Amino acid sequence: MENKMFCYQCQETAGCTGCTQMGVCGKKPDIAGMQDLLIYVTKGLSAVTTALRAQGGEVSSTINHLITLNLFITITNANFDKEAITARIRGTLDAKRELLAQVRNRETLPEASHWYGDASTFEAKAAKVGVLSTENEDIRSLRELITYGLKGLSAYSKHANVLLQEDGEVDAFLQRALSATLDDNLSADDLVALTLETGKYGVFGMALLDKANTQAYGNPEITKVSIGVGSRPGILVSGHDLRDLEMLLKQTQETGVDVYTHSEMLPAHYYPAFKKYSNFVGNYGNAWWKQKEEFETFNGPILMTTNCIVPPKDSYKDRLYTTGAAGFLGCKHISGAIGEEKDFSEIIEHAKHCVAPTEIETGEIIGGFAHNQVLALADQVVAAVKSGAIKKFVVMAGCDGRAKSRNYYTDFAQALPKDAVILTAGCAKYKYNKLELGDIGGIPRVLDAGQCNDSYSLAVIALKLKEVFGLEDINDLPIVYNIAWYEQKAVIVLLALLYLGVKNIHLGPTLPAFLSQNVAKVLVENFGIAGIGNVEDDIKLFFDEDTTNDFVTGDMIMSDILRKYPETAPALMECGMHCLGCPSSQMETLADACMVHGLNVNDVLKAVNSKVNG
């Protein structure tokens, strides 16, 4: 783990040696080493399961869940408990031994599938299987890019699994791709193709989680969330897991204990199913990196359900509980397997003896703009775009962080033209979701789709707008992407967007440090990936007036189309609309004209918009 070109845990501190930057992610070298080894043995097990499937065998959901949880545990700021990680390594080796015996052609499997050891050998082995175990910089970079993407995919799968949703195809791909990162016969071109395939399955994983959440809790709806406090003791829930929150809310009924969300749990308030709990009172605080101050002032116990733990201060460490993939040595861990009801009685009893939270802010914030809600407003949105009230949407999803360079996103949001609307998901929103940015015709200028886990909504919204405007290319939409980059779930979101064909995505504050020069060049040249500059220059870059994002819509009057876009006349005639100069064109919409001529309006829209944006 020494002398890495980047910190693979926090992905932000270039040149750190063995994750000793306690102010960044808090991982010490021995814990990071055990995570390296856990990933290694999980890849070895995945090669075994992939071989079993190839020979017609079946892999149980128990093994699928084991692999998924192993990856999730290694996501940034999820688990700092060396003993728990070591136990996962032992369990994975046991599972591998049993399954390996069923493989007919074992000699073709990689070394990781055959390696066994006990706790006395773990540290020595961990030192040999880390990031730098592959000498070729480009191969190493692509393997890490794929692995990080698969970690993000594991998060989506894990959250869906706890809601009893499975996708065997996603599980099989995740394991096949993990196995492929051990294959020295794969070229850089092979790994680039696998990287894009990871994005494809990222979309599938996002869709699975979206289905799981909405079936369990309803479609998110526009909601105002209190950021003040009540007078009763409280439990603060952070992380991402909605099922943990549901179980806690049920168990706190009639106990005199209130429940608050923190950071990425804020969007839980948008789901109808949670609104029936009268003690679910609001959101406390901001993004994950402010938790040392905010957990201290909360006064009551905190439940960390997933990643985003910052090593706790002694002043509240005894109030920090973990569950699921989360863990921190010295903090109480609440166990519970998929399908089991967790027992939160200890944390509830703890809360009863604490004073109410200290108020740190007042007011409300609004959210709940996931794809179902935004599509319900589609007519209003389209009308605003057509009238020019909304000129562009800016996707500012991603992750927040403590680095001062991330203040760029606050300044950028404030500098946006008043006719721009922000689409967001993830904790990056805390850089601007409490600013007074106003609305456009009743549409808030910050549309929060939810957690980083809900980034699928942003893709669905973009694809629906593409359809509504009759466009061939998603990149012809009036949408720019200025995403705050951080940990592994951001990787799978990026790869999913690339798979969907989105180009010219800007990442900041810096491009991912684990990308080699050649791999970065591929992303820049093929997909237009770029970094950020200063706010003034980027505003000019994104908002210089042009006509590349103008659209013809079906409800526009024919004469208005021809006057504003004379270049569309040949396309209209080629489609079979030859009476462009007749009096009816002064009052007939394009949709009406298509109906009269027996034409498909979507086909005509595609033809004319290819001229407008060509």
Side-chain angles (χ1 to χ4, degrees), residues 136 169-170 200 213 256 303 367 412 466:
N136 184 298
E169 187 178 354
V170 170
K200 171 184 174 180
N213 285 339
L303 178 65
F412 186 85
K466 171 176 171 267

PDB file of all heavy atoms in Angstrom, residues 136 169-170 200 213 256 303 367 412 466:
ATOM      1  N   ASN A 136       1.733  -2.838 -15.698  1.00  0.00           N
ATOM      2  CA  ASN A 136       1.310  -2.036 -16.844  1.00  0.00           C
ATOM      3  C   ASN A 136       0.316  -0.976 -16.376  1.00  0.00           C
ATOM      4  O   ASN A 136      -0.765  -1.291 -15.894  1.00  0.00           O
ATOM      5  CB  ASN A 136       0.675  -2.937 -17.905  1.00  0.00           C
ATOM      6  CG  ASN A 136       0.290  -2.177 -19.165  1.00  0.00           C
ATOM      7  OD1 ASN A 136      -0.538  -1.276 -19.127  1.00  0.00           O
ATOM      8  ND2 ASN A 136       0.897  -2.552 -20.274  1.00  0.00           N
ATOM      9  N   GLU A 169     -28.936 -11.795 -13.634  1.00  0.00           N
ATOM     10  CA  GLU A 169     -28.080 -11.381 -14.742  1.00  0.00           C
ATOM     11  C   GLU A 169     -27.046 -10.355 -14.270  1.00  0.00           C
ATOM     12  O   GLU A 169     -25.880 -10.406 -14.667  1.00  0.00           O
ATOM     13  CB  GLU A 169     -28.936 -10.794 -15.866  1.00  0.00           C
ATOM     14  CG  GLU A 169     -28.158 -10.483 -17.134  1.00  0.00           C
ATOM     15  CD  GLU A 169     -29.028  -9.941 -18.247  1.00  0.00           C
ATOM     16  OE1 GLU A 169     -30.262  -9.911 -18.090  1.00  0.00           O
ATOM     17  OE2 GLU A 169     -28.464  -9.520 -19.283  1.00  0.00           O
ATOM     18  N   VAL A 170     -27.471  -9.429 -13.413  1.00  0.00           N
ATOM     19  CA  VAL A 170     -26.547  -8.440 -12.860  1.00  0.00           C
ATOM     20  C   VAL A 170     -25.500  -9.122 -11.984  1.00  0.00           C
ATOM     21  O   VAL A 170     -24.300  -8.828 -12.070  1.00  0.00           O
ATOM     22  CB  VAL A 170     -27.307  -7.361 -12.070  1.00  0.00           C
ATOM     23  CG1 VAL A 170     -26.333  -6.471 -11.286  1.00  0.00           C
ATOM     24  CG2 VAL A 170     -28.149  -6.501 -13.011  1.00  0.00           C
ATOM     25  N   LYS A 200     -23.333  -0.526 -18.819  1.00  0.00           N
ATOM     26  CA  LYS A 200     -24.616  -1.124 -19.217  1.00  0.00           C
ATOM     27  C   LYS A 200     -25.292  -1.789 -18.021  1.00  0.00           C
ATOM     28  O   LYS A 200     -26.486  -1.564 -17.754  1.00  0.00           O
ATOM     29  CB  LYS A 200     -24.368  -2.152 -20.321  1.00  0.00           C
ATOM     30  CG  LYS A 200     -25.564  -3.012 -20.679  1.00  0.00           C
ATOM     31  CD  LYS A 200     -25.182  -4.067 -21.715  1.00  0.00           C
ATOM     32  CE  LYS A 200     -26.324  -5.035 -21.986  1.00  0.00           C
ATOM     33  NZ  LYS A 200     -25.950  -6.066 -22.994  1.00  0.00           N
ATOM     34  N   ASN A 213     -37.206   0.256  -4.479  1.00  0.00           N
ATOM     35  CA  ASN A 213     -37.592   1.370  -3.605  1.00  0.00           C
ATOM     36  C   ASN A 213     -39.027   1.809  -3.836  1.00  0.00           C
ATOM     37  O   ASN A 213     -39.794   2.027  -2.884  1.00  0.00           O
ATOM     38  CB  ASN A 213     -36.654   2.550  -3.824  1.00  0.00           C
ATOM     39  CG  ASN A 213     -35.294   2.356  -3.188  1.00  0.00           C
ATOM     40  OD1 ASN A 213     -35.132   1.544  -2.272  1.00  0.00           O
ATOM     41  ND2 ASN A 213     -34.301   3.090  -3.648  1.00  0.00           N
ATOM     42  N   GLY A 256     -41.534   7.847  22.450  1.00  0.00           N
ATOM     43  CA  GLY A 256     -41.116   9.197  22.811  1.00  0.00           C
ATOM     44  C   GLY A 256     -39.820   9.616  22.152  1.00  0.00           C
ATOM     45  O   GLY A 256     -39.249  10.661  22.494  1.00  0.00           O
ATOM     46  N   LEU A 303     -27.214   6.219  13.882  1.00  0.00           N
ATOM     47  CA  LEU A 303     -27.173   4.922  13.219  1.00  0.00           C
ATOM     48  C   LEU A 303     -26.587   5.096  11.821  1.00  0.00           C
ATOM     49  O   LEU A 303     -27.180   5.745  10.967  1.00  0.00           O
ATOM     50  CB  LEU A 303     -28.580   4.320  13.126  1.00  0.00           C
ATOM     51  CG  LEU A 303     -28.672   2.971  12.396  1.00  0.00           C
ATOM     52  CD1 LEU A 303     -27.926   1.882  13.174  1.00  0.00           C
ATOM     53  CD2 LEU A 303     -30.133   2.568  12.182  1.00  0.00           C
ATOM     54  N   GLY A 367     -37.650  18.845  -1.999  1.00  0.00           N
ATOM     55  CA  GLY A 367     -37.089  17.816  -2.874  1.00  0.00           C
ATOM     56  C   GLY A 367     -38.185  16.885  -3.332  1.00  0.00           C
ATOM     57  O   GLY A 367     -39.378  17.173  -3.193  1.00  0.00           O
ATOM     58  N   PHE A 412     -20.707  28.162  -8.520  1.00  0.00           N
ATOM     59  CA  PHE A 412     -21.247  27.893  -9.852  1.00  0.00           C
ATOM     60  C   PHE A 412     -22.773  27.973  -9.830  1.00  0.00           C
ATOM     61  O   PHE A 412     -23.389  28.569 -10.727  1.00  0.00           O
ATOM     62  CB  PHE A 412     -20.790  26.518 -10.326  1.00  0.00           C
ATOM     63  CG  PHE A 412     -21.176  26.185 -11.737  1.00  0.00           C
ATOM     64  CD1 PHE A 412     -20.395  26.589 -12.807  1.00  0.00           C
ATOM     65  CD2 PHE A 412     -22.336  25.467 -12.010  1.00  0.00           C
ATOM     66  CE1 PHE A 412     -20.755  26.278 -14.118  1.00  0.00           C
ATOM     67  CE2 PHE A 412     -22.714  25.154 -13.300  1.00  0.00           C
ATOM     68  CZ  PHE A 412     -21.920  25.562 -14.361  1.00  0.00           C
ATOM     69  N   LYS A 466     -35.607  13.543 -24.441  1.00  0.00           N
ATOM     70  CA  LYS A 466     -35.161  13.228 -25.807  1.00  0.00           C
ATOM     71  C   LYS A 466     -36.333  12.744 -26.650  1.00  0.00           C
ATOM     72  O   LYS A 466     -36.510  13.156 -27.811  1.00  0.00           O
ATOM     73  CB  LYS A 466     -34.061  12.178 -25.738  1.00  0.00           C
ATOM     74  CG  LYS A 466     -33.637  11.591 -27.084  1.00  0.00           C
ATOM     75  CD  LYS A 466     -32.479  10.635 -26.884  1.00  0.00           C
ATOM     76  CE  LYS A 466     -32.170   9.858 -28.155  1.00  0.00           C
ATOM     77  NZ  LYS A 466     -32.846   8.581 -28.235  1.00  0.00           N
TER      78      LYS A 466
END
